[in-house]
């Protein structure tokens, strides 16, 4: 655990050093990755490393610029498409980012997930000071259409994060990065958002389709890539995921996937997260 996290910290420090070397022009750091890629944890650790380098990141979540739910675009199946770039109020986002970069104090936007309502000035009031850099986080962080013409050359640094390293069992089978992210999502949402494993498994194909459309085509825009894989992680996720997967009834459409994931984590020895 210590060595695996040490490798992570070393890579995050390298990214922070690269950002700091561009401080004369850099104004925005944009971080993107697919669902359950580890963005929240990465941002916390990158924030510390940037502060060590003398920069103060001011974080903004792109989720706060969602349009009202009834205005959200729909996909070809008629479902709300929260992964589409058009689900964000780009005009408002670009206006507020431009004003922040101009040194104004701005009441930022806020989106209430429970009510599906956006408040254009319902978020915290921010002003960028000396040494401050905007840090944007969201699935569209690599998309050039997100900020349009706002960042001048050298003002934007894009980071792509995902678990890239797969763990092989033998010469034929392995733990795929997709399954790892689904296990992360099941554990996280059961802990923090009240969603069960069955709900997540059923939603997963739509999440992957959104990623294929809106995230992966823009990987080439990234200035840095961070691999969030941890070799010990499946053994720790097993402690939680095993019981959550057992909650899926056998007659539920999500059961075959839940059964397959249970077999997957069963091949690991449990590691309790005391030292994580």
């Amino acid at each position: 655990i210590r060595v695996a996290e040490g490798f992570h910290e070393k890579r995050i420090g390298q990214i922070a050093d690269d950002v700091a070397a561009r401080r004369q022009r850099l104004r925005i750091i944009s971080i993107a990755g697919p669902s359950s890629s580890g963005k929240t944890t990465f941002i916390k650790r990158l924030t510390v490393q940037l502060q060590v380098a003398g920069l103060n990141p001011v974080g903004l979540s792109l989720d706060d610029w969602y349009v009202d739910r009834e205005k959200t675009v729909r996909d070809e199946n008629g479902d709300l498409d929260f992964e589409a770039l058009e689900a964000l109020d780009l005009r408002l986002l670009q206006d507020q980012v431009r004003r922040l970069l101009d040194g104004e104090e701005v009441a930022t936007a806020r989106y209430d997930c429970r009510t599906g309502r956006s408040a254009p000035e319902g978020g915290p009031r921010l002003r960028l000071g000396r040494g401050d850099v905007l840090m944007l986080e969201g699935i569209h962080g690599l998309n050039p259409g997100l900020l349009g013409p706002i960042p001048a050359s050298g003002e934007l640094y894009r980071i792509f994060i995902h678990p890239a390293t797969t763990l092989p069992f033998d010469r034929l089978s392995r733990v795929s990065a997709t399954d790892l992210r689904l296990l992360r999502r099941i554990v996280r949402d059961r802990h923090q958002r009240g969603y069960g494993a069955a709900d997540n498994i059923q939603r997963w194909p739509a999440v992957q389709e959104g990623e294929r459309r809106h995230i992966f085509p823009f990987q080439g825009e990234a200035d840095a890539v961070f691999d969030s894989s941890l070799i010990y992680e499946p053994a720790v996720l097993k402690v939680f995921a095993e019981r959550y997967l057992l909650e899926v009834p056998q007659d539920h459409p999500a059961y075959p996937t839940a059964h397959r994931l249970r077999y997957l984590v069963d091949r690991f020895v449990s590691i309790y997260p005391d030292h994580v």
Side-chain angles (χ1 to χ4, degrees):
I1 289 171
R2 294 283 186 265
V3 171
E5 293 188 353
F7 274 114
H8 269 200
E9 204 64 40
K10 185 173 183 177
R11 175 60 181 144
I12 293 169
Q14 291 170 344
I15 293 173
D17 289 344
D18 191 23
V19 170
R22 310 178 189 213
R23 73 175 74 214
Q24 296 302 319
R25 290 192 56 79
L26 190 67
R27 307 295 305 281
I28 305 171
I29 302 169
S30 188
I31 300 169
S35 175
S36 302
S37 57
K39 293 187 292 294
T40 302
T41 303
F42 172 79
I43 287 169
K44 289 178 180 177
R45 298 171 79 165
L46 179 63
T47 296
V48 173
Q49 292 289 350
L50 289 172
Q51 289 171 337
V52 169
L55 295 173
N56 180 47
V58 177
L60 295 175
S61 171
L62 295 177
D63 290 354
D64 279 320
W65 277 268
Y66 274 128
V67 298
D68 290 339
R69 191 165 293 157
E70 65 268 18
K71 298 179 182 178
T72 303
V73 296
R74 294 182 179 270
D75 60 21
E76 61 273 12
N77 299 318
D79 298 323
L80 295 174
D81 190 356
F82 293 106
E83 277 80 32
L85 183 63
E86 295 76 17
L88 300 178
D89 189 337
L90 294 180
R91 181 178 298 180
L92 177 65
L93 171 66
Q94 292 175 11
D95 174 67
Q96 293 187 345
V97 168
R98 184 184 294 108
R99 289 164 55 204
L100 282 168
L101 295 181
D102 287 341
E104 294 183 36
E105 182 177 294
V106 176
T108 57
R110 182 179 178 275
Y111 181 77
D112 190 322
C113 296
R114 289 176 295 179
T115 64
R117 306 295 296 179
S118 62
E121 297 184 347
R125 300 187 69 87
L126 299 177
R127 184 197 297 270
L128 295 182
R130 185 178 180 83
D132 290 350
V133 59
L134 272 182
M135 181 184 284
L136 303 180
E137 177 269 319
I139 67 169
H140 298 292
L142 302 181
N143 191 329
L146 179 70
L147 297 175
I150 292 175
S153 177
E155 289 188 343
L156 175 63
Y157 189 94
R158 297 186 178 106
I159 302 171
F160 179 65
I161 172 174
H162 70 139
T165 305
T166 57
L167 183 65
F169 287 121
D170 49 46
R171 293 165 66 184
L172 293 176
S173 58
R174 60 189 175 85
V175 180
S176 74
T178 300
D179 281 345
L180 177 63
R181 289 196 294 115
L182 179 53
L183 286 169
R184 287 179 176 181
R185 184 180 170 104
I186 287 170
V187 172
R188 179 200 67 191
D189 285 1
R190 182 68 163 72
H191 280 186
Q192 300 176 8
R193 304 181 184 181
Y195 296 127
D199 294 332
N200 252 316
I201 289 170
Q202 286 196 293
R203 173 67 180 157
W204 191 239
V207 171
Q208 288 184 286
E209 177 61 26
E211 294 167 354
R212 284 191 289 268
R213 289 185 180 185
H214 306 300
I215 301 177
F216 295 124
F218 302 103
Q219 291 178 82
E221 300 288 338
D223 297 286
V225 177
F226 180 75
D227 180 0
S228 64
S229 299
L230 290 159
I231 194 167
Y232 67 79
E233 186 177 4
V236 176
L237 287 174
K238 175 183 179 178
V239 176
F240 306 99
E242 201 166 38
R243 72 185 82 160
Y244 302 154
L245 293 167
L246 283 168
E247 295 172 351
V248 180
Q250 291 192 16
D251 58 351
H252 196 282
Y255 180 77
T257 299
H259 181 75
R260 180 179 63 80
L261 292 174
R262 280 172 47 204
Y263 175 74
L264 174 65
V265 298
D266 188 58
R267 301 175 74 172
F268 291 88
V269 175
S270 297
I271 297 178
Y272 287 85
D274 302 10
H275 299 288
V276 176

